[in-house]
Amino acid sequence: MISKEQFNTELDLIISNAIREDIGDGDHTSLSCIPADASGKAKLLVKDEGIIAGVEFAKMVFSYVDPALTVETLINDGEQVKFGDIVFYVTGKSQSILQAERLVLNAMQRMSAIATKTRFFVDLLEGTGTKVLDTRKTTPGIRALEKWAVKIGGGVNHRFALYDMVMIKDNHIDFAGGITQAINKTKAYLTEKELDIKIIVEARNLQEIEEILKNEGVYRILIDNFNYEDTRKAVALIGNTCLTESSGGINEKTIRKYAECGVDFISSGALTHSVYNMDLSLKAVD
């Protein structure tokens, strides 16, 4: 994953672009009917159940819109919530609260859904030692938020993007002329560019795993679209040579069985690409 500084830069970019997109040259509704000096208070109300996520991000948004806004947090990121819970109160200029409202809700609804699904998968793996990984199958422009939500839900972030880890997949292997050729070219490139990033290699069958193991410098082998029996065989072949990851159409009905094959990680695009937003609202308080 990228550094904390890089991650925070991504968050800053998300906020500035989202506010630009939403407010433009002004929130004319609020500007026209609410006095500039009017103060107010609003609550973040839960109308659903699951794992809340995005509280800390909401604070960043409020601060960006108006540093004078204050937030009283009642429920923190990663905690279970139910219908009727109040997550926080925000107090300050009414216009500022309204300008931040939509970004806060859009982000928290999405992040909470992802955190909830991740926690569900994590709970299914309890006692196995296998960890849940996310993927790059994220919503363009808000990847940092979605990966943050996975962590809040108890999952583990995979690479952030194409630049912070090498993943040699089937198409790379075929275009490079084979597994060994792809690995050797990759290691030569990383040496030339003085890049210290990890290498993951995808295997489509047991024979490819055997070839991967003949090469040094592989951090993790991606055991892709294997059945249970072959996954167990793959894990036995790999042993302690490197880490293992299962992927490919794994869902809540099959994830436990794959974990019981002994893999270190299971990656799932469904954590971020197949969720329904948690129902949240920001309501004025009298």
Side-chain angles (χ1 to χ4, degrees):
M1 275 291 290
I2 59 177
S3 68
K4 183 175 178 59
E5 291 73 23
Q6 287 176 294
F7 192 79
N8 286 337
T9 297
E10 292 291 333
L11 295 176
D12 291 340
L13 289 169
I14 289 171
I15 294 172
S16 61
N17 189 52
I19 293 298
R20 174 205 58 77
E21 177 184 60
D22 201 36
I23 297 179
D25 66 352
D27 172 12
H28 299 304
T29 308
S30 298
L31 291 170
S32 63
C33 64
I34 298 174
D37 59 352
S39 293
K41 184 176 184 179
K43 62 184 178 182
L44 195 286
L45 181 65
V46 179
K47 298 190 288 184
D48 211 334
E49 61 179 32
I51 303 299
I52 199 71
V55 176
E56 292 304 312
F57 180 72
K59 293 178 184 177
M60 295 174 65
V61 174
F62 287 129
S63 178
Y64 179 91
V65 171
D66 183 350
L69 291 175
T70 60
V71 179
E72 178 191 358
T73 304
L74 305 180
I75 302 175
N76 294 306
D77 283 329
E79 293 186 27
Q80 186 79 34
V81 292
K82 64 184 185 304
F83 190 98
D85 281 345
I86 297 171
V87 178
F88 60 70
Y89 291 101
V90 57
T91 306
K93 287 187 177 181
S94 300
Q95 286 187 1
S96 299
I97 293 172
L98 290 169
Q99 287 171 5
E101 175 185 12
R102 181 44 51 196
L103 175 54
V104 166
L105 286 174
N106 285 353
M108 290 194 67
Q109 288 175 321
R110 180 79 180 163
M111 290 178 72
S112 296
I114 291 168
T116 300
K117 185 154 194 170
T118 302
R119 181 68 59 82
F120 174 63
F121 275 27
V122 168
D123 288 346
L124 289 174
L125 298 183
E126 185 176 0
T128 66
T130 302
K131 295 180 173 61
V132 178
L133 286 173
D134 55 22
T135 69
R136 284 171 47 243
K137 296 175 182 177
T138 55
T139 306
I142 60 168
R143 179 173 292 171
L145 295 186
E146 296 189 345
K147 284 186 170 285
W148 190 358
V150 168
K151 289 189 70 174
I152 290 170
V156 177
N157 292 149
H158 210 309
R159 59 177 177 168
F160 186 83
L162 292 171
Y163 57 78
D164 62 317
M165 186 178 284
V166 167
M167 183 183 288
I168 303 173
K169 301 189 74 174
D170 52 358
N171 284 336
H172 301 101
I173 290 167
D174 292 340
F175 284 135
I179 289 172
T180 298
Q181 294 93 323
I183 294 173
N184 287 339
K185 289 175 181 177
T186 296
K187 290 194 291 188
Y189 172 87
L190 296 179
T191 299
E192 178 189 351
K193 300 295 183 180
E194 298 182 344
L195 293 172
D196 182 21
I197 55 178
K198 294 179 173 64
I199 300 172
I200 297 175
V201 184
E202 178 184 286
R204 292 168 284 193
N205 51 57
L206 292 169
Q207 291 71 33
E208 290 194 341
I209 286 179
E210 290 173 349
E211 184 174 352
I212 294 168
L213 292 172
K214 293 176 183 177
N215 295 272
E216 296 182 353
V218 175
Y219 171 69
R220 188 161 75 228
I221 295 178
L222 174 56
I223 306 168
D224 191 51
N225 284 299
F226 279 45
N227 58 35
Y228 303 133
E229 181 181 356
D230 284 345
T231 299
R232 284 190 289 270
K233 290 179 181 177
V235 170
L237 268 175
I238 296 165
N240 294 322
T241 304
C242 62
L243 296 173
T244 55
E245 172 190 344
S246 279
S247 71
I250 300 173
N251 56 39
E252 64 272 15
K253 295 180 181 179
T254 61
I255 190 170
R256 176 93 188 182
K257 292 180 180 178
Y258 276 102
E260 290 171 347
C261 293
V263 293
D264 298 298
F265 299 97
I266 293 174
S267 55
S268 173
L271 298 180
T272 51
H273 71 52
S274 298
V275 295
Y276 295 95
N277 284 2
M278 181 182 285
D279 193 358
L280 305 170
S281 63
L282 193 67
K283 294 295 186 183
V285 177
D286 293 334

